Amino acid sequence: MFGLANNSDINVLDQFFQELMGYVVQNENNTFNFNKTSGNANVNSLLAKWKTQIDELDGRNKDDMKVLGEMVITADKVEQGIYKCRVHSQTSNPMVNTLVHTVNKMIDSLDRDMTQLRTIVEQYSNDDFRNKVTIDPKIKADMLAVMTSVNSLGEALSNGAKTNLTNGQHLESNASTMSDSVNNLANKANQQA
């Protein structure tokens, strides 16, 4: 196929391979820029074909890096408690796209749970204990403990409010009885006087 390769052709192929290894394995370069040729047309054709395939791979790698960079920025925001961010970049790499989908789904879940927790706690702070946090059966570990604790807090606050209301009603009833007794005593004292 190649005819006889001379030392120059072999040297060019070796340089091509070393450049490729610097690009792929050692990350010495962020692009693959091999433009040398040999005296053999068949070798030059092969090098051009390889270069085209490597350029396509380079484009896919850059798309992957863009997605991964956006993922890092998104993860940093989530770490700060910002749950409205999502990864929007796409790539032709199905594994990276699966990772994007999984990360976005995780953030959706966190956003939904935190919004619900915030809403319920705000209601509790306004003495409205009617609602509870809805706990998805998939929730486990710490998030389950937090959500369950918020629901328990709501029940305790509701029971405390009911107890205070009952005590207040008893006090009001006792105060009314006492007032009636004082008025009755005053009337009898006035009659005797």
Side-chain angles (χ1 to χ4, degrees):
M1 172 178 170
F2 294 109
L4 293 174
N6 61 35
N7 284 342
S8 174
D9 295 338
I10 292 172
N11 189 31
V12 170
L13 287 172
D14 183 53
Q15 288 174 357
F16 182 93
F17 184 75
Q18 295 307 320
E19 179 83 16
L20 178 62
M21 289 299 98
Y23 169 72
V24 173
V25 177
Q26 299 166 358
N27 291 323
E28 293 172 0
N29 308 314
N30 60 358
T31 57
F32 185 77
N33 293 317
F34 188 84
N35 297 316
K36 294 181 183 176
T37 59
S38 79
N40 185 324
N42 289 330
V43 170
N44 289 340
S45 175
L46 183 61
L47 292 174
K49 179 181 172 185
W50 289 349
K51 174 80 166 82
T52 300
Q53 291 171 337
I54 291 168
D55 288 344
E56 289 172 7
L57 177 64
D58 184 52
R60 288 193 301 264
N61 285 345
K62 286 185 172 135
D63 288 345
D64 289 352
M65 292 307 292
K66 181 180 176 187
V67 170
L68 294 174
E70 189 177 348
M71 244 184 243
V72 168
I73 291 168
T74 301
D76 185 54
K77 288 180 181 179
V78 169
E79 181 182 22
Q80 296 172 41
I82 302 168
Y83 302 114
K84 295 298 179 194
C85 55
R86 301 294 183 276
V87 179
H88 299 286
S89 297
Q90 294 291 313
T91 181
S92 60
N93 184 330
M95 291 303 292
V96 173
N97 282 332
T98 299
L99 181 61
V100 167
H101 175 73
T102 302
V103 166
N104 284 340
K105 190 172 156 186
M106 175 191 65
I107 297 170
D108 288 343
S109 177
L110 276 170
D111 186 26
R112 184 178 53 253
D113 292 341
M114 293 307 289
T115 298
Q116 185 182 189
L117 282 168
R118 183 182 63 241
T119 300
I120 296 297
V121 169
E122 285 172 357
Q123 289 173 354
Y124 290 177
S125 70
N126 291 317
D127 297 328
D128 181 356
F129 310 111
R130 293 173 293 172
N131 295 318
K132 292 183 178 275
V133 175
T134 303
I135 302 173
D136 188 310
K138 292 189 286 186
I139 301 288
K140 306 281 184 255
D142 290 342
M143 184 60 87
L144 177 62
V146 167
M147 294 175 122
T148 303
S149 295
V150 167
N151 284 342
S152 295
L153 174 65
E155 286 179 31
L157 292 171
S158 178
N159 289 338
K162 287 176 188 172
T163 300
N164 288 341
L165 177 63
T166 301
N167 289 342
Q169 289 170 338
H170 286 302
L171 285 173
E172 182 181 24
S173 174
N174 290 342
S176 177
T177 301
M178 184 185 262
S179 176
D180 289 345
S181 296
V182 168
N183 286 339
N184 188 22
L185 184 62
N187 284 340
K188 288 189 179 189
N190 282 339
Q191 286 175 356
Q192 285 197 1

